[in-house]
Amino acid sequence: MNIYLKIFTCFAKIGAFTIGGGYAMIPIIQREVVEKNKWISEENFLDVLAISQSAPGILAVNISI
């Protein structure tokens, strides 16, 4: 499967089935990105989370970027 399609389907699934906003998505994003797909490490995820919280905009969009 194309990596871009896999990333898109991962975040589309998270966005479609999560109720509660960006902060409710964080554990699901962590499970998908760190534990299931192993795209980044736990430490890098925490760094990305800190950067995305400091940037203006929607949290879930900032994390996915």
Side-chain angles (χ1 to χ4, degrees), residues 30-64:
Q30 180 180 7
R31 186 178 324 116
E32 289 289 324
V33 172
V34 176
E35 296 171 9
K36 184 177 175 185
N37 293 309
K38 298 186 186 337
W39 287 328
I40 60 174
S41 67
E42 181 79 27
E43 295 81 22
N44 285 340
F45 180 77
L46 293 175
D47 291 340
V48 167
L49 182 61
I51 291 169
S52 65
Q53 286 182 337
S54 66
I58 301 171
L59 179 69
V61 173
N62 290 345
I63 291 176
S64 66

